[in-house]
Every structure is written in C-alpha cells, then in structure tokens.
Amino acid sequence: MKPERNYGIDLIRGISVFYIVSYWHLFNYTQAFRGYYNPFTHNLTRIILASFVFISGYLIASKNLKINWQNIITFWRKRLIRIYPLYALALLLFYWQDIANSQTLIKAAFLLSMFFPPAPYTLWFITMIMIFYLVAPFLLKYANNLTIYLVLTGLLWLIFLFKGTSEISLYFPSFALAMWLRANPGWLNKLQQQQFILTIIFVILFVLKITGYLTMKWLGIEIFFINLGAILFYLYSYQIMNRVKYTGLIEQMSYVSFGMYLFHRPIFSLTKSVFFPSSETAQVIYLLGVALPLTIIISWLIQKLYDRFVLSWLKP
C-alpha cells in the first residue's frame, strides 16, 4: 500500500456512499420494499453519515496548516475548487429534474439552507460539510489546547443548535472530534486499546436504540452513540485495510463516491422518467441494473473530466 494513503478512509467513503445510494435512497424510487426504513437502518444511516463527517474532519486535521489569513484563504480556495463547482452542477441538475425548487436551491448555493430551511434533498449534507470547512482553520489553530478547543467547539455547537437545522448540530461534534483526535493521536491510540470494550458498549446502545429505549430526545446520548459508531467504523476499517493487499477497487470506490452522492438523484429520476417497469420486482432490478451502473459511470466520468480541467487550469 502507498504509505501516504489511508485506505481505511477510502473504505469508509466507498461503503458509506454505496450504502446511501444503492439502498437508502434507491428505495425512494420504488414501493417494492416498504420496510427499508426501520429503526435498524435509521440508526445505521446516522452512523454512516457521522462517519463521513468524521473522516472529513480527520483529513482536514492531517494538513500541516500554519494559521494566518493567507493560509486560511488558500485553504478555503482549495476546498472551494475541489467541491463547489460539482456541487453547483448538482444544484442545476436538481432544478432540471424538479427535485427541489429554485428558492431552496439558491439558498443552498449560498450555503444558507442549513440556517434557513428547507435544504435540498441529499445535497444538504454537502452544504453542511462546506460550512464545517469554513470554521475548520480556526478549530485547527487550537486543536492542541483542550480547554480553548472545547470552549470554541461548544460555542459553535450552540450556534448550530439554536440557529441551524437539527442535522448540523447533530453532526458537527463528529467533525470537531475527528479533528481533535487527529491532532492528538495519543487519544486515538487509547481508544484503540479499549476497542473491544467500546464495541460492547456500542452494541448495547444500538440494541437500546432500535428497541426504542433510547430516543432522539436524549441528544447527548444520540451524539455519543453516532460518534462511538464512527470511531469504531474508522478503527475497524483501518485494521481491515492494513491486511488487504489489493486496494485498487477500494480506491476507485472512494474516487467515484463524491460524484455518486451528488448526481445519483438526478440520474435515478431521469432513468425512471425514460422507462420504468410496472412490476415492483422489475423496478428494483432496473434501478440496480441500469440506474445504479449509470450513476457510477457518469459520476466517474464527470469527476475525471473535472479533475483534468482543474489540473490543466492550475498547472501554470
């Protein structure tokens, strides 16, 4: 394996997006499996999303960034170039396929929809991540001072709690926690040493959650639960990929994941409008056999073309 690449993160990214696209969202387009949404999958999805936020924060904190305004602007510019143009394209496709109205999409384009809902389906997550990127340099500056870091993250969390949507306040702790753990690797090592005990605690909490004994009303427990799941997902993924020799497929899954997340709804909607079987079983086969492969291929092509354009544009 390439020593500079964390294939555990690639595995999380690939699994997370393929789960969201090929299961969680795919069954929005057919009534074939009405039970796809249940307490088990609901809680699993929260953990999946928290894990994606977690690895975003972890990767950000991997950067050796000296905090000054020039570096902060450079940091923002790089994230903007990497994410925003494809995000804007997805917003246009959402409008074309009538997945969201123009007012909602305009607010999303200016990153306001997490504070002035409604946010567009699916793309709210990318909007949220970009807001986290805006505050990331300031968090990174104090990542080695626990007291200041807790005060700063606490203030930001209160702002998100009272001024933002429920999602941004729920998932921001995952981002801040990952940044802290990456900047202070000794803490992550301590968690890894207690991995078996943490797994038992997580399984108990998961059972309590799906049986209804723990609810979203207990926000502190919910945040603890999804972040414990995200940490364990990272630890197990990292350990698995350290034993895997062939990483090409995982790397490609990770590469196409961003495009898949952005574009799968417009592609699903388009393929459904062109043709859709009447049989519910045939609908699932059509979505998995046609819509999903098209999503993978088109997303890969868009990402590849965009990467080549950016490289040629920035090369001078």
Side-chain angles (χ1 to χ4, degrees), residues 102-160:
S102 58
Q103 184 177 2
T104 297
L105 296 174
I106 290 171
K107 287 188 293 184
F110 287 97
L111 307 185
L112 298 174
S113 56
M114 298 308 294
F115 301 99
F116 301 96
Y121 292 122
T122 305
L123 296 184
W124 65 266
F125 188 80
I126 307 300
T127 312
M128 180 181 70
I129 290 291
M130 285 194 283
I131 292 171
F132 292 165
Y133 285 166
L134 289 175
V135 302
F138 307 103
L139 293 175
L140 192 57
K141 181 176 182 178
Y142 298 105
N144 292 314
N145 188 317
L146 180 58
T147 302
I148 298 178
Y149 193 80
L150 286 175
V151 171
L152 181 58
T153 54
L155 288 173
L156 286 170
W157 183 76
L158 288 174
I159 292 171
F160 293 149

Side-chain angles (χ1 to χ4, degrees), residues 26-309:
L26 182 137
F27 285 103
N28 295 168
Y29 294 86
T30 176
Q31 297 296 315
F33 181 30
R34 295 169 180 83
Y36 82 96
Y37 180 92
N38 55 64
F40 179 88
T41 57
H42 170 75
N43 286 286
L44 178 61
T45 301
R46 285 192 182 277
I47 295 168
I48 289 289
L49 294 176
S51 298
F52 209 95
V53 175
F54 184 90
I55 63 173
S56 297
Y58 188 90
L59 289 171
I60 289 298
S62 302
K63 309 299 180 184
N64 185 15
L65 181 67
K66 293 181 179 179
I67 305 301
N68 56 57
W69 279 111
Q70 182 178 356
N71 287 341
I72 290 174
I73 292 172
T74 300
F75 172 88
W76 285 339
R77 181 173 62 87
K78 287 182 178 180
R79 296 303 167 291
L80 188 72
I81 291 172
R82 180 185 176 191
I83 295 174
Y84 194 85
L86 294 181
Y87 170 73
L89 176 60
L91 291 173
L92 291 174
L93 293 176
F94 269 54
Y95 179 74
W96 175 50
Q97 285 295 311
D98 199 25
I99 301 172
N101 61 49
S102 58
Q103 184 177 2
T104 297
L105 296 174
I106 290 171
K107 287 188 293 184
F110 287 97
L111 307 185
L112 298 174
S113 56
M114 298 308 294
F115 301 99
F116 301 96
Y121 292 122
T122 305
L123 296 184
W124 65 266
F125 188 80
I126 307 300
T127 312
M128 180 181 70
I129 290 291
M130 285 194 283
I131 292 171
F132 292 165
Y133 285 166
L134 289 175
V135 302
F138 307 103
L139 293 175
L140 192 57
K141 181 176 182 178
Y142 298 105
N144 292 314
N145 188 317
L146 180 58
T147 302
I148 298 178
Y149 193 80
L150 286 175
V151 171
L152 181 58
T153 54
L155 288 173
L156 286 170
W157 183 76
L158 288 174
I159 292 171
F160 293 149
L161 178 65
F162 292 107
K163 297 297 183 180
T165 63
S166 59
E167 291 85 1
I168 196 170
S169 60
L170 178 64
Y171 294 112
F172 174 67
S174 303
F175 188 82
L177 175 63
M179 291 189 67
W180 168 260
L181 291 175
R182 182 64 182 89
N184 301 271
W187 286 89
L188 192 59
N189 292 335
K190 291 177 181 178
L191 291 172
Q192 186 173 354
Q193 292 169 9
Q194 304 299 323
Q195 187 170 338
F196 179 72
I197 295 175
L198 293 176
T199 302
I200 293 175
I201 294 172
F202 171 75
V203 170
I204 293 172
L205 288 176
F206 197 91
V207 171
L208 292 174
K209 286 280 294 174
I210 64 176
T211 54
Y213 287 98
L214 290 177
T215 67
M216 183 60 187
K217 294 178 182 178
W218 301 351
L219 183 58
I221 295 294
E222 185 77 11
I223 291 173
F224 175 80
F225 167 71
I226 63 173
N227 280 291
L228 180 57
I231 290 170
L232 290 171
F233 193 7
Y234 171 78
L235 291 176
Y236 282 114
S237 296
Y238 184 78
Q239 291 158 10
I240 288 170
M241 292 309 297
N242 275 341
R243 294 173 172 83
V244 173
K245 293 183 179 180
Y246 178 71
T247 58
L249 178 61
I250 301 300
E251 195 169 342
Q252 289 301 314
M253 287 174 59
S254 177
Y255 179 76
V256 77
S257 61
F258 181 54
M260 283 183 63
Y261 191 87
L262 288 176
F263 304 123
H264 70 275
R265 282 198 181 276
I267 296 171
F268 281 12
S269 297
L270 181 61
T271 54
K272 187 175 178 179
S273 66
V274 171
F275 169 75
F276 203 57
S278 57
S279 165
E280 291 183 346
T281 302
Q283 289 173 5
V284 175
I285 295 173
Y286 178 70
L287 288 169
L288 289 172
V290 177
L292 182 60
L294 278 175
T295 299
I296 296 171
I297 294 168
I298 293 172
S299 299
W300 189 89
L301 289 172
I302 291 174
Q303 187 71 64
K304 202 70 175 179
L305 289 171
Y306 180 70
D307 289 345
R308 288 184 178 180
F309 169 75

